Amino acid sequence: MNSNDTIAAISTPSGNGAISVIRISGPDSFETVQSIFSSKLPEPGTIKYGKITDDSRVIDDVVVTCFKSPASYTGEDIVEISCHGNQFIARQILEVLLIKVRIAEPGEFTQRAFLNGKMDLTQAEAVGDLLMAKTRISQMAALDQLHGVLHKKISKIHKKMTDTRILLELEIDFSEQELPDIDVESVVTDLADVKAKLENLAESGDAGLIIRDGFRISFAGMPNVGKSSLFNAFLETERAIVTPVPGTTRDYIEEAVSIEGYLVRFFDTAGLRDSDDHIELMGMERSRKMIDESHCIFAVYDASNVLTGSECQETFEGLNKPVIKIANKSDLISEEQKHLLNEKNYIVCSAVTKEGFKLLEETIIDLINTGAAEIHDGMLTNTRQISACRRAVNGVDRSITALESGLGFEFAAFDLKEACQALEEITGAVSTDDLLNRIFSNFCIGK
C-alpha cells in the first residue's frame, strides 16, 4: 500500500438517498478535483456549489468541501464531493477521478490517519467499532476509545514501566560510579502496582468484547419445554417455529436485542434428547457447541413436570458459566406451586403472560456486570489488545521475579522492555505492515 499517492472512494453506503459523498485524499486531491469542477475550489474549511463535468458533459450539480493538510481526517489534503444520492451518479464521478488517482483500499483513509499521527491504533480500531455499534452502550464505549480514553490509560501505565526500566538501566550503565543504591523493595512494590493495573486492564477485555459483540445466551433444555416460545416472546416476533411436535427446532436460531443499551444475542437451540434421527442429532451437536460458546445458559424446564418430577432434567454441569433455571408455562400452575419453584431457585416464567421476563432482564444486566464508570474508564475491546496486554503482564511478572531473586538488574530491565513493547503494540507505537493490513482490511472502502 503506497501512502504517498492520491486515493478516492465513495464514502456513503450503497442505495439511493439524499446525497452521496466521494472522498479524495492525497497530494494531488485539489488539482484532480479542480480539473473536473466547474468553479474555483473553495478555500479550506469552506464549501462551494458547482458542477462536475466529464469533458463538456455535466455529470451532476455538487457541493465541494476542501480540507488542507494537516487539518483533515487523514492529515493529508482532502476533498469531499457531495452529489445527489444516486449510486449511478456517484460511480460516474468516481470513474472520472480514477483516471488520475487510484481507488482506496478498505480502511485506507483511517490507516492514513493513523500513519500521519492523527490517531493511535486504539482510536483507529474505535472507528471500526463505532461503525459497527448496534446499541447505546457499544456506541458510548467506541466514542470514549475514539476520544483517547484507552490511549491515555495505557500511556500512564507505560510511563511508569519506562521510568522504572530507565532507573534499572542507569544502575547497569553507571554501576562503577557513586550513585545512590536502588531501593529494590520500593521498585518491586511499584511494579506490583503496575502489574495489578495491567491485570485489571486485561480483565476489562472480557467486558469490552461483550459490549462490542454482545452477551450470548442460549435457551437450552429438553424438547417441548417452551424454549422457542420464550425465545419468540423475548423478541416479540414469531422468529422460531413453535409446534407440539418434539424436535421441531433442528438447529439453533440466533437473534439480537438491546436490553438497557447492551447488545444481547439469544440462541434458540435444538431440544436435547435421545434420538435416532440423523438430522436431529446433527442439530443437537451444533446446539451443544453453541451452548459451550455462550456466556450464560437459560436452562428451560416445564414447570408442571418439575413439580411432579416427571421430567428428565439436563443439569448443564461443568460448563463453568452461569446457568439460570427457568420454570416455564407458569400460566398452567397455581401461585402456591410458583412459590415452591422459587424456593428451588427457579425463575418462574410464562411465554404467554410474560411473567418473570422483568426478572430475567435484570438477571442479564447483573451478569453483564459492566457499569458506565468502567466503560468511561477505558477498556480493551478485541482479542489483539487483550493478548498484548497479557504479554505485558507476564513481562512485568518476570521482572518482579528477577528482582526478588537477585538475578540482576539487566534481567529485570529486559523483561520490562518486552512488557513496554507489548503495550506499544496496542497503541500502534510498534506495528508491522501485516498487523495494520489485518486491522484495516475489516473496514469498508471509503473509511
Side-chain angles (χ1 to χ4, degrees):
M1 183 183 293
N2 183 0
S3 60
N4 297 318
D5 56 2
T6 302
I7 57 175
I10 300 172
S11 292
T12 41
S14 299
N16 294 337
I19 62 171
S20 289
V21 176
I22 300 95
R23 175 181 286 174
I24 308 96
S25 178
D28 298 327
S29 297
F30 293 167
E31 178 185 346
T32 299
V33 176
Q34 183 64 83
S35 68
I36 62 172
F37 189 51
S38 62
S39 304
K40 182 181 178 181
L41 287 181
E43 292 297 317
T46 64
I47 61 174
K48 181 177 283 189
Y49 168 81
K51 302 179 188 300
I52 295 293
T53 62
D54 179 10
D55 293 329
S56 60
R57 180 178 70 91
V58 175
I59 296 177
D60 197 17
D61 293 352
V62 302
V63 172
V64 168
T65 310
C66 292
F67 303 90
K68 182 67 178 176
S69 168
S72 70
Y73 179 73
T74 62
E76 304 172 333
D77 290 345
I78 282 185
V79 181
E80 291 186 350
I81 302 172
S82 299
C83 66
H84 288 94
N86 181 320
Q87 285 291 297
F88 175 67
I89 294 173
R91 282 195 295 268
Q92 288 183 71
I93 296 174
L94 181 61
E95 287 170 5
V96 174
L97 291 169
L98 292 180
I99 295 174
K100 296 185 177 182
V101 303
R102 69 171 173 84
I103 189 72
E105 296 181 22
E108 189 171 359
F109 291 99
T110 303
Q111 183 167 350
R112 289 188 175 204
F114 164 71
L115 293 173
N116 291 326
K118 302 295 290 186
M119 60 180 69
D120 83 319
L121 200 52
T122 65
Q123 292 170 300
E125 289 177 311
V127 173
D129 291 345
L130 193 57
L131 291 173
M132 299 302 293
K134 297 179 177 64
T135 66
R136 175 176 53 83
I137 299 295
S138 58
Q139 175 196 12
M140 289 168 50
L143 279 173
D144 282 334
Q145 187 166 317
L146 180 61
H147 294 159
V149 174
L150 178 59
H151 174 74
K152 292 175 184 176
K153 187 173 186 177
I154 291 175
S155 295
K156 288 180 181 179
I157 300 173
H158 184 275
K159 183 180 184 304
K160 185 66 175 178
M161 293 164 58
T162 302
D163 290 345
T164 303
R165 179 170 62 85
I166 291 173
L167 178 67
L168 296 174
E169 290 176 347
L170 284 173
E171 179 66 20
I172 297 168
D173 293 339
F174 300 98
S175 58
E176 296 180 356
Q177 300 186 22
E178 295 183 359
L179 295 175
D181 292 337
I182 289 179
D183 185 348
V184 175
E185 185 177 343
S186 176
V187 173
V188 168
T189 300
D190 289 343
L191 289 180
D193 180 64
V194 168
K195 179 185 173 185
K197 286 183 169 63
L198 286 171
E199 287 174 335
N200 289 335
L201 184 61
E203 289 173 2
S204 77
D206 292 334
L209 287 173
I210 287 172
I211 288 172
R212 191 188 71 169
D213 300 330
F215 187 73
R216 299 187 298 274
I217 299 176
S218 287
F219 288 91
M222 303 289 288
N224 279 14
V225 294
K227 299 184 300 298
S228 296
S229 296
L230 286 174
F231 177 82
N232 286 338
F234 254 104
L235 301 175
E236 297 183 346
T237 182
E238 294 299 318
R239 177 65 177 85
I241 299 173
V242 180
T243 76
V245 179
T248 298
T249 303
R250 295 299 184 98
D251 197 358
Y252 68 79
I253 301 171
E254 175 186 357
E255 286 292 343
V257 297
S258 174
I259 299 179
E260 294 190 16
Y262 292 100
L263 179 65
V264 179
R265 296 166 61 193
F266 287 118
F267 297 87
D268 179 26
T269 64
L272 304 177
R273 63 168 182 165
D274 293 330
S275 174
D276 296 326
D277 187 313
H278 178 66
I279 297 177
E280 188 176 356
L281 288 171
M282 290 177 61
M284 285 190 283
E285 182 179 349
R286 294 188 64 182
S287 291
R288 286 191 182 279
K289 184 175 184 297
M290 190 65 252
I291 290 170
D292 289 340
E293 294 174 354
S294 294
H295 294 109
C296 170
I297 308 301
F298 276 3
V300 184
Y301 307 100
D302 186 311
S304 299
N305 292 341
V306 172
L307 290 166
T308 60
S310 60
E311 182 173 51
C312 179
Q313 297 190 22
E314 175 77 48
T315 60
F316 303 102
E317 294 179 352
L319 292 179
N320 194 30
K321 64 189 64 181
V323 177
I324 309 303
K325 297 193 300 182
I326 299 174
N328 191 30
K329 306 181 184 181
S330 64
D331 51 297
L332 303 178
I333 61 175
S334 67
E335 292 299 322
E336 182 180 356
Q337 290 172 319
K338 293 176 187 179
H339 181 69
L340 289 173
L341 289 168
N342 286 330
E343 289 183 339
K344 295 181 179 181
N345 296 320
Y346 286 87
I347 294 180
V348 176
C349 288
S350 170
V352 176
T353 66
K354 293 290 188 75
E355 180 182 8
F357 275 50
K358 182 63 177 176
L359 180 55
L360 285 177
E361 290 184 1
E362 293 172 354
T363 301
I364 291 170
I365 297 303
D366 288 342
L367 289 171
I368 294 175
N369 196 27
T370 305
E374 293 179 17
I375 295 172
H376 295 308
D377 191 44
M379 59 173 56
L380 306 182
T381 57
N382 59 56
T383 54
R384 181 193 74 83
Q385 295 173 354
I386 296 169
S387 175
C389 188
R390 286 176 176 159
R391 282 190 280 114
V393 171
N394 292 335
V396 173
D397 186 57
R398 291 195 303 272
S399 182
I400 292 173
T401 301
L403 290 170
E404 290 179 334
S405 304
L407 295 177
F409 293 148
E410 60 271 21
F411 291 98
F414 178 79
D415 290 326
L416 275 182
K417 182 179 180 180
E418 288 194 335
C420 286
Q421 289 175 340
L423 285 188
E424 289 164 4
E425 287 181 22
I426 298 178
T427 60
V430 173
S431 59
T432 64
D433 289 341
D434 179 60
L435 170 65
L436 297 181
N437 290 337
R438 279 190 282 117
I439 290 173
F440 292 106
S441 64
N442 294 320
F443 283 51
C444 59
I445 294 176
K447 192 61 180 179

